[in-house]
């Protein structure tokens, strides 16, 4: 699979489009131009393009996504022992996008993340799970993936991979698990990303030192905490409290849109 992925020119096209989207959305966030309408437009177009269009154009399960890049690299290292450089380059590119603009690739480019984002907008009661719970499950899921790639038949993502929804490559396991993720998305913001995604875990580590992220100017901030209330995770609460380690931030821009003071909160490298 690694050679087929790297030789298919559409894979490169998808990566280039991802880079463009991350760059454009970082600029929009920096300029405070991300409104709910802009966000929804990007979500729908991104879900259709990166998900269903590329799922149709790139055959089988070869359409790249952040999870497949990490999973393929782990498989290459642990099992195949060849073709590491090409797959590693893909993963490094994705992680660089996480580092430059705080997890924007997950928030604006990942087709499964975007689908969950759409469903979360349905007006139903919401639950914000404690981070210790979601991240503990995600760590266990990552460790299970590493073990499962070495032990034949125990690759759990291969059995329930929800990204296969976009290429309509469904089995009973994939269908049931995907249905559970999508139903949970009505009540919990991005349950796959926060509870199960191996790239989400790796990206969460990288985003702790990201260049562009929500930054508060304490000299201007009126401490209304509207940004904290608008955040679909607890990330903005961590930024507000000045914690060194923050919860997953998916660069949705809801905090910036909610802030009534133009210079109090921005998507920038520093508070200066």
């Amino acid at each position: 699979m690694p050679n087929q992925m790297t030789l298919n020119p559409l894979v490169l096209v998808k990566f280039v489009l991802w880079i463009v989207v991350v760059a454009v959305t970082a600029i929009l966030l920096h300029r405070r131009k991300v409104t709910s309408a802009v966000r929804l437009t990007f979500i729908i177009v991104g879900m259709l393009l990166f998900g269903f269009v590329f799922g149709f154009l790139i055959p089988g399960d070869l359409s790249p996504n952040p999870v497949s890049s990490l999973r393929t690299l782990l498989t290459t290292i642990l099992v195949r022992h060849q073709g590491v450089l090409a797959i590693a380059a893909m993963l490094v590119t994705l992680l660089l996008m996480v580092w430059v603009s705080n997890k924007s690739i997950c928030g604006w480019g990942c087709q499964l993340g975007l689908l969950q984002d759409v469903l979360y907008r349905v007006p139903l009661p919401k639950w914000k799970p404690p981070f210790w719970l979601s991240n503990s499950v995600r760590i266990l899921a990552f460790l299970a993936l590493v073990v499962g790639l070495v032990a034949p038949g125990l690759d759990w993502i291969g059995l329930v991979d929800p990204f296969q929804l976009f290429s309509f490559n469904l089995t009973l396991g994939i269908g049931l698990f995907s249905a559970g993720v999508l139903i949970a998305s009505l009540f919990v913001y991005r349950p796959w990303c926060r509870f199960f995604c191996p790239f989400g875990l790796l990206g969460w580590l990288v985003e702790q030192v990201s260049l562009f992220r929500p930054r508060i100017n304490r000299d201007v901030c009126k401490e209304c905490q509207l940004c904290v209330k608008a955040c679909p995770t607890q990330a903005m609460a961590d930024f507000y409290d000045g914690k060194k380690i923050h919860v997953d931030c998916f660069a949705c821009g809801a905090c910036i849109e909610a802030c009534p003071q133009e210079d109090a909160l921005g998507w920038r490298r520093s508070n200066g």
Side-chain angles (χ1 to χ4, degrees):
M1 182 168 67
N3 290 336
Q4 293 177 358
M5 286 182 65
T6 54
L7 291 177
N8 192 323
L10 289 176
V11 172
L12 178 59
V13 171
K14 188 172 183 179
F15 266 82
V16 170
L17 288 176
W18 268 338
I19 294 172
V20 171
V21 166
V22 169
V24 170
T25 54
I27 292 172
L28 292 176
L29 286 165
H30 180 67
R31 295 181 177 178
R32 297 177 62 94
K33 299 296 184 182
V34 175
T35 63
S36 297
V38 169
R39 171 71 176 161
L40 183 59
T41 300
F42 268 87
I43 287 175
I44 294 175
V45 173
M47 180 182 64
L48 294 176
L49 176 60
F50 295 127
F52 294 107
V53 172
F54 277 100
F56 174 77
L57 292 176
I58 302 178
D61 60 351
L62 302 181
S63 181
N65 60 70
V67 174
S68 70
S69 297
L70 175 57
R71 178 168 165 260
T72 303
L73 178 62
L74 290 174
T75 302
T76 302
I77 294 173
L78 297 173
V79 181
R80 297 193 179 101
H81 309 295
Q82 59 182 355
V84 173
L85 291 180
I87 304 302
M90 292 183 180
L91 182 60
V92 168
T93 300
L94 292 169
L95 291 175
L96 279 174
M97 286 188 267
V98 172
W99 174 67
V100 171
S101 185
N102 201 97
K103 223 168 191 177
S104 290
I105 181 60
C106 299
W108 297 83
C110 174
Q111 55 263 41
L112 183 58
L114 296 174
L115 177 55
Q116 293 173 90
D117 223 308
V118 168
L119 294 174
Y120 187 75
R121 292 168 179 265
V122 176
L124 291 170
K126 308 301 180 184
W127 176 52
K128 291 185 179 182
F131 182 62
W132 67 264
L133 174 61
S134 61
N135 216 36
S136 295
V137 173
R138 192 165 56 176
I139 291 171
L140 291 175
F142 184 90
L143 295 176
L145 174 63
V146 173
V147 173
L149 290 175
V150 176
L154 295 181
D155 174 10
W156 69 268
I157 289 185
L159 297 175
V160 301
D161 186 2
F163 284 92
Q164 297 306 312
L165 284 171
F166 299 98
S167 58
F168 300 101
N169 183 21
L170 301 178
T171 63
L172 179 60
I174 291 173
L176 291 175
F177 184 81
S178 299
V181 168
L182 298 184
I183 292 172
S185 299
L186 296 169
F187 309 98
V188 177
Y189 188 71
R190 290 179 174 239
W192 163 264
C193 309
R194 298 164 67 192
F195 280 89
F196 300 106
C197 181
F199 181 85
L201 177 64
L202 198 57
W204 170 72
L205 294 173
V206 173
E207 72 172 293
Q208 304 304 317
V209 292
S210 58
L211 289 180
F212 287 87
R213 65 170 75 168
R215 298 189 190 273
I216 300 171
N217 185 341
R218 295 292 179 178
D219 294 332
V220 181
C221 177
K222 302 299 183 182
E223 300 185 359
C224 64
Q225 298 194 39
L226 291 176
C227 57
V228 174
K229 296 175 183 177
C231 180
T233 68
Q234 286 88 25
M236 197 59 227
D238 291 344
F239 290 132
Y240 187 85
D241 292 337
K243 293 183 179 180
K244 293 184 178 180
I245 303 297
H246 63 267
V247 175
D248 298 74
C249 166
F250 293 96
C252 69
C255 57
I256 297 174
E257 183 183 17
C259 181
Q261 302 293 324
E262 183 173 350
D263 296 326
L265 177 64
W267 194 259
R268 47 185 176 243
R269 292 186 60 176
S270 66
N271 292 329

